[in-house]
Coordinates of all heavy atoms in Angstrom, one line a residue:
M9 N 19.0 -5.7 18.4 CA 19.0 -6.1 17.0 C 18.0 -5.2 16.3 O 16.9 -4.9 16.8 CB 18.6 -7.6 16.8 CG 19.0 -8.1 15.5 SD 18.8 -9.9 15.4 CE 17.3 -10.0 14.6
A10 N 18.4 -4.7 15.1 CA 17.5 -3.8 14.4 C 16.3 -4.6 13.8 O 16.4 -5.8 13.5 CB 18.3 -3.2 13.2
V11 N 15.2 -3.9 13.8 CA 14.0 -4.4 13.2 C 13.8 -3.9 11.8 O 13.7 -2.7 11.6 CB 12.7 -4.1 14.1 CG1 11.5 -4.7 13.5 CG2 12.9 -4.6 15.5
Y12 N 13.7 -4.7 10.8 CA 13.5 -4.3 9.5 C 12.1 -4.5 9.0 O 11.5 -5.6 9.2 CB 14.4 -5.0 8.5 CG 15.9 -4.7 8.8 CD1 16.7 -5.5 9.5 CD2 16.4 -3.5 8.3 CE1 18.0 -5.2 9.8 CE2 17.7 -3.2 8.5 CZ 18.5 -4.0 9.3 OH 19.8 -3.7 9.5
R13 N 11.5 -3.4 8.6 CA 10.1 -3.5 8.1 C 10.1 -3.1 6.6 O 10.8 -2.2 6.2 CB 9.2 -2.7 8.9 CG 9.0 -3.2 10.3 CD 7.9 -2.6 11.0 NE 8.2 -1.3 11.5 CZ 7.3 -0.5 12.1 NH1 6.1 -0.9 12.4 NH2 7.7 0.7 12.5
K14 N 9.2 -3.6 5.9 CA 9.0 -3.2 4.5 C 8.0 -2.1 4.4 O 7.1 -2.1 5.2 CB 8.6 -4.4 3.6 CG 9.7 -5.4 3.5 CD 9.3 -6.4 2.5 CE 10.5 -7.3 2.3 NZ 10.3 -8.4 1.3
F15 N 8.3 -1.1 3.6 CA 7.4 0.0 3.4 C 6.4 -0.2 2.4 O 6.6 -0.7 1.3 CB 8.2 1.3 3.1 CG 9.1 1.7 4.2 CD1 10.5 1.5 4.1 CD2 8.6 2.3 5.3 CE1 11.3 1.8 5.2 CE2 9.4 2.7 6.4 CZ 10.8 2.5 6.3
I16 N 5.2 0.2 2.7 CA 4.1 0.2 1.7 C 3.7 1.7 1.6 O 3.3 2.3 2.6 CB 2.9 -0.6 2.2 CG1 3.3 -2.0 2.5 CG2 1.7 -0.5 1.2 CD1 2.2 -2.8 3.2
F17 N 3.8 2.2 0.4 CA 3.4 3.6 0.2 C 2.0 3.7 -0.5 O 1.8 3.0 -1.5 CB 4.4 4.3 -0.8 CG 5.8 4.3 -0.2 CD1 6.7 3.4 -0.5 CD2 6.2 5.3 0.7 CE1 8.0 3.4 0.1 CE2 7.5 5.4 1.3 CZ 8.4 4.4 0.9
V18 N 1.2 4.5 0.0 CA -0.1 4.7 -0.6 C -0.3 6.2 -0.9 O -0.1 7.0 0.0 CB -1.3 4.2 0.3 CG1 -2.6 4.5 -0.3 CG2 -1.2 2.7 0.6
C19 N -0.6 6.5 -2.1 CA -0.8 7.9 -2.5 C -2.1 8.5 -1.9 O -3.1 7.8 -2.0 CB -0.8 8.1 -4.0 SG -1.2 9.8 -4.5
T20 N -2.0 9.7 -1.3 CA -3.3 10.3 -0.8 C -3.5 11.7 -1.5 O -4.0 12.6 -0.9 CB -3.2 10.5 0.7 OG1 -2.0 11.2 1.1 CG2 -3.2 9.1 1.4
G21 N -2.9 11.8 -2.7 CA -3.1 13.0 -3.4 C -4.6 13.2 -3.8 O -5.4 12.2 -3.7
S22 N -5.0 14.3 -4.4 CA -6.4 14.6 -4.6 C -7.0 13.6 -5.6 O -8.2 13.2 -5.4 CB -6.6 16.0 -5.0 OG -5.8 16.3 -6.2
D23 N -6.4 13.3 -6.7 CA -7.0 12.4 -7.7 C -7.1 11.0 -7.1 O -8.1 10.3 -7.4 CB -6.1 12.3 -9.0 CG -6.4 13.5 -9.9 OD1 -7.5 14.1 -9.7 OD2 -5.5 13.9 -10.7
C24 N -6.1 10.5 -6.4 CA -6.3 9.2 -5.8 C -7.3 9.2 -4.7 O -8.0 8.2 -4.5 CB -4.9 8.8 -5.2 SG -3.8 8.3 -6.5
K25 N -7.6 10.3 -4.0 CA -8.7 10.4 -3.1 C -10.0 10.2 -3.8 O -10.8 9.4 -3.3 CB -8.7 11.8 -2.4 CG -8.0 11.7 -1.0 CD -8.2 13.0 -0.3 CE -7.2 13.0 0.8 NZ -6.8 14.4 1.2
K26 N -10.1 10.8 -5.0 CA -11.3 10.6 -5.8 C -11.5 9.2 -6.2 O -12.6 8.7 -6.3 CB -11.3 11.5 -7.0 CG -11.7 12.9 -6.8 CD -11.6 13.7 -8.1 CE -11.1 15.1 -7.9 NZ -10.5 15.7 -9.1
N27 N -10.4 8.5 -6.4 CA -10.5 7.1 -6.8 C -10.5 6.1 -5.7 O -10.4 4.9 -5.9 CB -9.3 6.8 -7.8 CG -9.4 7.5 -9.1 OD1 -10.5 7.7 -9.6 ND2 -8.3 7.9 -9.7
G28 N -10.6 6.6 -4.5 CA -10.8 5.7 -3.4 C -9.6 5.2 -2.6 O -9.6 4.1 -2.1
C29 N -8.6 6.1 -2.4 CA -7.4 5.7 -1.7 C -7.7 5.5 -0.2 O -7.0 4.8 0.5 CB -6.3 6.7 -1.8 SG -6.5 8.2 -0.9
K30 N -8.8 6.2 0.3 CA -9.1 6.0 1.8 C -9.5 4.6 2.1 O -9.1 4.1 3.1 CB -10.2 7.1 2.2 CG -9.6 8.4 2.4 CD -10.5 9.3 3.2 CE -9.8 10.6 3.4 NZ -10.7 11.7 3.9
G31 N -10.3 4.1 1.2 CA -10.7 2.7 1.3 C -9.5 1.8 1.3 O -9.4 0.8 2.1
L32 N -8.6 2.1 0.3 CA -7.4 1.2 0.2 C -6.6 1.3 1.4 O -6.1 0.3 1.9 CB -6.7 1.7 -1.0 CG -5.4 0.9 -1.4 CD1 -5.8 -0.5 -1.8 CD2 -4.6 1.6 -2.5
L33 N -6.4 2.5 2.0 CA -5.6 2.6 3.2 C -6.2 1.8 4.4 O -5.5 1.1 5.1 CB -5.6 4.1 3.7 CG -4.5 5.0 3.1 CD1 -4.8 6.4 3.5 CD2 -3.1 4.5 3.6
K34 N -7.5 1.9 4.5 CA -8.2 1.1 5.5 C -8.0 -0.4 5.3 O -7.7 -1.1 6.3 CB -9.7 1.4 5.4 CG -10.5 1.5 6.7 CD -11.9 1.9 6.4 CE -12.8 1.6 7.6 NZ -14.2 1.9 7.3
E35 N -8.1 -0.8 4.1 CA -7.9 -2.3 3.8 C -6.4 -2.6 4.1 O -6.1 -3.7 4.7 CB -8.2 -2.6 2.4 CG -9.7 -2.6 2.1 CD -10.1 -2.6 0.7 OE1 -9.2 -2.5 -0.2 OE2 -11.3 -2.8 0.4
A36 N -5.5 -1.7 3.7 CA -4.1 -2.0 3.9 C -3.8 -2.1 5.4 O -3.1 -3.0 5.9 CB -3.2 -0.9 3.3
K37 N -4.4 -1.3 6.2 CA -4.2 -1.3 7.7 C -4.7 -2.7 8.2 O -4.1 -3.3 9.1 CB -5.0 -0.2 8.4 CG -4.2 1.1 8.4 CD -5.0 2.2 9.1 CE -4.4 3.5 8.8 NZ -5.3 4.6 9.2
E38 N -5.9 -3.1 7.7 CA -6.4 -4.4 8.2 C -5.5 -5.6 7.8 O -5.2 -6.4 8.6 CB -7.8 -4.7 7.6 CG -8.9 -3.9 8.3 CD -10.2 -4.0 7.5 OE1 -10.4 -4.9 6.7 OE2 -11.0 -3.1 7.7
V39 N -5.0 -5.5 6.5 CA -4.1 -6.6 6.0 C -2.8 -6.7 6.8 O -2.4 -7.8 7.2 CB -3.8 -6.4 4.5 CG1 -2.8 -7.4 4.1 CG2 -5.1 -6.6 3.7
I40 N -2.2 -5.5 7.1 CA -0.9 -5.6 7.8 C -1.0 -5.9 9.3 O -0.1 -6.2 10.0 CB 0.0 -4.4 7.6 CG1 -0.6 -3.1 8.1 CG2 0.3 -4.2 6.1 CD1 0.3 -1.9 8.0
K41 N -2.3 -5.8 9.8 CA -2.5 -6.1 11.2 C -2.7 -7.6 11.4 O -2.5 -8.2 12.5 CB -3.8 -5.4 11.8 CG -3.5 -4.1 12.4 CD -4.8 -3.6 13.1 CE -4.8 -2.1 13.1 NZ -6.2 -1.7 13.4
H42 N -3.0 -8.3 10.3 CA -3.3 -9.7 10.3 C -2.1 -10.5 10.8 O -0.9 -10.1 10.6 CB -3.6 -10.1 8.9 CG -4.5 -11.3 8.9 ND1 -4.1 -12.6 8.7 CD2 -5.9 -11.4 9.0 CE1 -5.1 -13.4 8.8 NE2 -6.2 -12.8 8.9
D43 N -2.3 -11.6 11.6 CA -1.3 -12.3 12.3 C 0.0 -12.6 11.5 O 1.1 -12.2 11.9 CB -1.8 -13.7 12.8 CG -2.7 -13.5 14.0 OD1 -2.6 -12.4 14.6 OD2 -3.4 -14.4 14.4
D44 N -0.1 -13.1 10.3 CA 1.1 -13.5 9.5 C 1.8 -12.3 8.9 O 2.9 -12.4 8.5 CB 0.8 -14.6 8.5 CG -0.4 -14.3 7.7 OD1 -1.3 -13.6 8.1 OD2 -0.5 -14.8 6.5
H45 N 1.2 -11.1 9.0 CA 1.9 -9.9 8.5 C 2.3 -9.0 9.6 O 2.9 -7.9 9.4 CB 0.9 -9.1 7.5 CG 0.6 -9.8 6.2 ND1 1.6 -10.4 5.5 CD2 -0.5 -10.0 5.6 CE1 1.1 -10.9 4.4 NE2 -0.2 -10.7 4.4
K46 N 1.9 -9.3 10.8 CA 2.1 -8.4 12.0 C 3.5 -7.9 12.1 O 4.4 -8.8 12.2 CB 1.6 -9.1 13.2 CG 0.9 -8.1 14.2 CD 0.3 -8.9 15.3 CE -0.5 -7.9 16.2 NZ -1.2 -8.6 17.2
G47 N 3.7 -6.6 12.2 CA 5.1 -6.1 12.5 C 6.0 -6.1 11.3 O 7.2 -5.7 11.4
K48 N 5.6 -6.6 10.1 CA 6.5 -6.7 9.0 C 6.5 -5.5 8.1 O 7.4 -5.3 7.3 CB 6.1 -7.9 8.1 CG 6.4 -9.3 8.8 CD 6.1 -10.4 7.8 CE 6.3 -11.7 8.3 NZ 5.7 -12.8 7.4
Y49 N 5.4 -4.7 8.2 CA 5.2 -3.6 7.3 C 5.0 -2.3 7.9 O 4.5 -2.2 9.1 CB 4.1 -3.9 6.3 CG 4.1 -5.2 5.6 CD1 3.5 -6.3 6.0 CD2 4.9 -5.3 4.5 CE1 3.6 -7.5 5.3 CE2 5.0 -6.5 3.8 CZ 4.4 -7.6 4.2 OH 4.5 -8.7 3.5
K50 N 5.4 -1.2 7.2 CA 5.1 0.1 7.7 C 4.3 0.8 6.6 O 4.8 0.9 5.4 CB 6.4 0.8 8.0 CG 6.3 2.3 8.4 CD 5.8 2.4 9.8 CE 5.6 3.9 10.2 NZ 4.7 4.0 11.3
L51 N 3.2 1.4 6.9 CA 2.3 2.0 5.9 C 2.7 3.5 5.9 O 2.7 4.2 6.9 CB 0.9 1.8 6.3 CG -0.2 2.1 5.3 CD1 0.0 1.2 4.1 CD2 -1.6 1.8 5.9
I52 N 3.0 4.0 4.7 CA 3.3 5.4 4.6 C 2.3 6.1 3.6 O 2.2 5.6 2.5 CB 4.7 5.6 4.0 CG1 5.7 4.8 4.7 CG2 5.1 7.1 4.0 CD1 6.3 5.3 6.0
K53 N 1.8 7.2 4.0 CA 0.9 8.0 3.1 C 1.8 9.0 2.4 O 2.6 9.6 3.0 CB -0.1 8.8 3.9 CG -1.1 8.0 4.6 CD -2.1 8.9 5.4 CE -2.8 8.2 6.5 NZ -3.5 9.1 7.4
T54 N 1.6 9.1 1.1 CA 2.4 10.0 0.3 C 1.6 11.1 -0.4 O 0.4 10.9 -0.4 CB 3.2 9.3 -0.8 OG1 2.3 8.9 -1.8 CG2 3.9 8.1 -0.2
K55 N 2.3 12.0 -0.9 CA 1.6 13.0 -1.7 C 1.5 12.4 -3.1 O 2.0 11.3 -3.4 CB 2.3 14.3 -1.7 CG 2.2 15.0 -0.3 CD 2.8 16.3 -0.3 CE 2.5 16.9 1.1 NZ 3.1 18.2 1.2
C56 N 1.1 13.2 -4.1 CA 0.9 12.8 -5.5 C 2.2 12.2 -6.0 O 3.3 12.7 -5.8 CB 0.5 13.9 -6.3 SG 0.3 13.4 -8.0
M57 N 2.1 11.0 -6.6 CA 3.3 10.3 -7.2 C 3.3 10.4 -8.7 O 4.0 9.6 -9.4 CB 3.3 8.9 -6.7 CG 3.6 8.8 -5.3 SD 4.0 7.1 -4.8 CE 2.4 6.5 -4.2
D58 N 2.4 11.2 -9.3 CA 2.3 11.4 -10.7 C 1.8 10.2 -11.6 O 2.3 10.0 -12.7 CB 3.7 11.8 -11.2 CG 3.7 13.0 -12.1 OD1 2.6 13.6 -12.3 OD2 4.7 13.4 -12.7
F59 N 0.9 9.5 -11.0 CA 0.2 8.4 -11.7 C -1.3 8.6 -11.6 O -2.0 7.7 -11.5 CB 0.6 7.0 -11.2 CG 2.0 6.6 -11.3 CD1 2.9 6.7 -10.2 CD2 2.5 6.2 -12.5 CE1 4.2 6.3 -10.4 CE2 3.8 5.8 -12.7 CZ 4.7 5.9 -11.6
C60 N -1.6 9.9 -11.5 CA -3.0 10.3 -11.1 C -4.1 9.6 -11.8 O -5.1 9.2 -11.3 CB -3.2 11.8 -11.2 SG -1.9 12.7 -10.4
K61 N -3.9 9.4 -13.1 CA -5.0 8.8 -13.9 C -5.3 7.3 -13.6 O -6.3 6.8 -14.0 CB -4.8 9.0 -15.4 CG -4.7 10.4 -15.9 CD -6.0 11.1 -15.7 CE -5.8 12.6 -16.0 NZ -6.3 13.5 -14.9
S62 N -4.3 6.7 -12.9 CA -4.5 5.2 -12.7 C -4.6 4.9 -11.2 O -4.4 3.8 -10.8 CB -3.2 4.5 -13.2 OG -2.7 5.1 -14.3
G63 N -5.1 5.9 -10.4 CA -5.2 5.7 -9.0 C -6.3 4.8 -8.6 O -7.2 4.4 -9.5
P64 N -6.4 4.3 -7.4 CA -5.4 4.6 -6.3 C -4.1 3.8 -6.5 O -4.1 2.7 -7.1 CB -6.1 4.1 -5.1 CG -7.2 3.1 -5.5 CD -7.6 3.5 -6.9
I65 N -3.0 4.5 -6.1 CA -1.7 4.0 -6.4 C -1.1 3.4 -5.1 O -1.2 4.1 -4.0 CB -0.8 5.1 -6.9 CG1 -1.3 5.7 -8.2 CG2 0.7 4.7 -7.0 CD1 -1.1 4.7 -9.4
L66 N -0.5 2.3 -5.2 CA 0.3 1.7 -4.0 C 1.6 1.3 -4.5 O 1.8 0.8 -5.7 CB -0.5 0.5 -3.5 CG 0.1 -0.3 -2.3 CD1 -1.1 -0.7 -1.4 CD2 0.8 -1.5 -2.7
V67 N 2.7 1.7 -3.8 CA 4.0 1.3 -4.2 C 4.6 0.3 -3.1 O 4.6 0.6 -1.9 CB 4.9 2.5 -4.3 CG1 6.4 2.1 -4.6 CG2 4.4 3.4 -5.4
Y68 N 5.1 -0.8 -3.6 CA 5.7 -1.8 -2.7 C 6.8 -2.4 -3.4 O 6.7 -2.9 -4.6 CB 4.6 -2.8 -2.3 CG 5.1 -3.9 -1.4 CD1 5.5 -3.7 -0.1 CD2 5.3 -5.2 -1.9 CE1 6.0 -4.6 0.7 CE2 5.8 -6.2 -1.1 CZ 6.2 -5.9 0.2 OH 6.7 -6.9 1.0
N69 N 8.0 -2.6 -2.7 CA 9.1 -3.2 -3.3 C 9.5 -2.7 -4.6 O 9.8 -3.4 -5.6 CB 8.8 -4.7 -3.5 CG 9.7 -5.6 -2.7 OD1 10.7 -5.1 -2.1 ND2 9.5 -6.9 -2.8
N70 N 9.6 -1.4 -4.8 CA 9.9 -0.7 -6.0 C 8.9 -1.0 -7.2 O 9.3 -0.8 -8.3 CB 11.3 -1.0 -6.5 CG 12.4 -0.5 -5.6 OD1 12.2 0.5 -4.9 ND2 13.5 -1.2 -5.5
E71 N 7.8 -1.4 -6.8 CA 6.8 -1.8 -7.9 C 5.6 -0.8 -7.7 O 5.1 -0.7 -6.6 CB 6.4 -3.2 -7.7 CG 5.7 -3.8 -8.9 CD 5.2 -5.3 -8.7 OE1 5.9 -5.9 -7.8 OE2 4.3 -5.7 -9.3
V72 N 5.1 -0.2 -8.8 CA 4.0 0.6 -8.7 C 2.7 -0.2 -9.1 O 2.7 -0.8 -10.1 CB 4.1 1.8 -9.7 CG1 2.8 2.7 -9.6 CG2 5.3 2.7 -9.3
I73 N 1.8 -0.3 -8.2 CA 0.6 -1.0 -8.5 C -0.6 0.0 -8.7 O -1.0 0.7 -7.8 CB 0.2 -2.0 -7.3 CG1 1.2 -3.0 -7.2 CG2 -1.1 -2.7 -7.6 CD1 2.1 -2.8 -6.1
K74 N -1.0 0.0 -10.0 CA -2.0 1.0 -10.4 C -3.4 0.4 -10.2 O -3.5 -0.9 -10.2 CB -1.8 1.3 -11.9 CG -0.5 2.0 -12.1 CD -0.3 2.3 -13.6 CE 1.0 3.1 -13.8 NZ 1.3 3.3 -15.2
R75 N -4.4 1.2 -10.0 CA -5.7 0.8 -9.7 C -5.8 -0.3 -8.7 O -6.3 -1.4 -8.9 CB -6.5 0.4 -11.0 CG -6.6 1.4 -12.0 CD -7.4 1.0 -13.2 NE -6.9 1.6 -14.4 CZ -7.0 2.9 -14.7 NH1 -7.5 3.8 -13.9 NH2 -6.5 3.4 -15.9
C76 N -5.1 0.0 -7.6 CA -4.9 -1.1 -6.6 C -6.2 -1.3 -5.8 O -7.0 -0.4 -5.5 CB -3.8 -0.6 -5.6 SG -3.3 -2.0 -4.5
D77 N -6.4 -2.6 -5.5 CA -7.5 -3.0 -4.6 C -7.0 -4.0 -3.6 O -5.8 -4.4 -3.7 CB -8.7 -3.5 -5.4 CG -8.4 -4.6 -6.3 OD1 -7.4 -5.3 -6.0 OD2 -9.1 -4.9 -7.3
K78 N -7.9 -4.5 -2.8 CA -7.5 -5.4 -1.7 C -6.8 -6.7 -2.3 O -5.8 -7.1 -1.8 CB -8.7 -5.8 -0.9 CG -8.3 -6.4 0.5 CD -9.5 -6.6 1.3 CE -9.1 -7.1 2.7 NZ -10.3 -7.2 3.6
G79 N -7.4 -7.2 -3.4 CA -6.9 -8.4 -4.0 C -5.5 -8.2 -4.5 O -4.6 -9.0 -4.2
K80 N -5.3 -7.2 -5.3 CA -3.9 -6.9 -5.8 C -2.9 -6.7 -4.7 O -1.8 -7.1 -4.8 CB -4.0 -5.6 -6.7 CG -4.5 -5.8 -8.1 CD -4.3 -4.6 -8.9 CE -5.0 -4.6 -10.2 NZ -4.9 -3.4 -11.0
M81 N -3.4 -6.0 -3.7 CA -2.4 -5.7 -2.6 C -2.0 -7.0 -1.9 O -0.8 -7.2 -1.6 CB -3.2 -4.8 -1.6 CG -2.4 -4.4 -0.4 SD -3.2 -3.2 0.7 CE -4.8 -3.8 0.8
K82 N -3.0 -7.9 -1.6 CA -2.6 -9.1 -1.0 C -1.7 -9.9 -1.9 O -0.7 -10.6 -1.4 CB -3.9 -9.9 -0.7 CG -4.6 -9.5 0.5 CD -5.7 -10.4 0.9 CE -6.3 -10.1 2.2 NZ -7.5 -10.9 2.5
E83 N -1.9 -9.9 -3.2 CA -1.1 -10.6 -4.1 C 0.4 -10.2 -4.0 O 1.3 -11.0 -3.9 CB -1.6 -10.3 -5.5 CG -1.5 -11.5 -6.5 CD -2.2 -11.1 -7.8 OE1 -3.4 -11.2 -7.9 OE2 -1.4 -10.6 -8.7
V84 N 0.6 -8.8 -4.1 CA 2.0 -8.4 -4.0 C 2.7 -8.6 -2.7 O 3.8 -8.9 -2.6 CB 2.2 -6.9 -4.4 CG1 1.9 -6.7 -5.9 CG2 1.3 -6.0 -3.6
L85 N 1.9 -8.5 -1.6 CA 2.4 -8.7 -0.3 C 2.8 -10.2 -0.1 O 3.8 -10.5 0.5 CB 1.5 -8.3 0.9 CG 1.2 -6.8 1.0 CD1 0.3 -6.5 2.2 CD2 2.4 -6.0 1.0
N86 N 2.0 -11.0 -0.6 CA 2.4 -12.5 -0.5 C 3.6 -12.9 -1.4 O 4.2 -13.9 -1.1 CB 1.1 -13.3 -0.9 CG 0.1 -13.2 0.2 OD1 0.4 -13.0 1.4 ND2 -1.2 -13.4 -0.2
K87 N 3.8 -12.1 -2.4 CA 5.0 -12.4 -3.2 C 6.3 -12.2 -2.4 O 7.3 -12.7 -2.8 CB 5.0 -11.5 -4.5 CG 4.4 -12.1 -5.7 CD 4.8 -11.3 -6.9 CE 3.7 -10.4 -7.4 NZ 4.2 -9.4 -8.5
G88 N 6.2 -11.3 -1.4 CA 7.4 -11.0 -0.6 C 8.1 -9.8 -0.7 O 7.9 -8.9 -1.4
Ligands
FES111 S1 -3.0 11.9 -6.9 FE1 -2.1 9.9 -6.6 S2 -0.7 9.8 -8.1 FE2 -1.4 11.8 -8.3

């Protein structure tokens, strides 16, 4: 049976790096390793997504989350 995982895209372009995407990636890794999220998500690093001024950028479920932090990320993941 196929395993379906949801994708989480995090921009690692230069402006988002300046705005702390590395910290966001680290937090995202921790969150998706957590028991109730285990195996449900795939984290993808992307190049610039053209929202540079509002970084760090996270895209989940066709939704762009600007100035993303751990709190916002958990909120969108819990929405489903
Ligand atoms: S560097 Fe992240 S959107 Fe441009």
Side-chain angles (χ1 to χ4, degrees):
M9 197 168 102
V11 178
Y12 293 98
R13 290 195 284 181
K14 292 191 171 179
F15 293 105
I16 301 170
F17 299 96
V18 176
C19 175
T20 55
S22 58
D23 280 335
C24 284
K25 260 186 196 153
K26 277 183 218 155
N27 290 326
C29 76
K30 282 198 173 166
L32 183 65
L33 270 172
K34 214 173 165 189
E35 287 169 352
K37 278 181 194 165
E38 281 170 22
V39 170
I40 64 174
K41 267 189 207 162
H42 207 265
D43 282 348
D44 46 335
H45 292 313
K46 216 172 187 178
K48 287 186 185 170
Y49 303 100
K50 177 77 182 155
L51 194 60
I52 311 278
K53 294 179 200 169
T54 71
K55 291 186 176 176
C56 179
M57 294 194 263
D58 226 7
F59 295 101
C60 306
K61 298 294 173 235
S62 327
I65 297 292
L66 183 140
V67 177
Y68 176 70
N69 239 358
N70 294 333
E71 196 181 334
V72 177
I73 295 102
K74 295 176 178 177
R75 297 186 215 293
C76 190
D77 56 24
K78 197 174 183 177
K80 281 187 187 177
M81 180 173 45
K82 279 187 171 173
E83 213 174 276
V84 288
L85 293 185
N86 288 335
K87 267 198 258 169

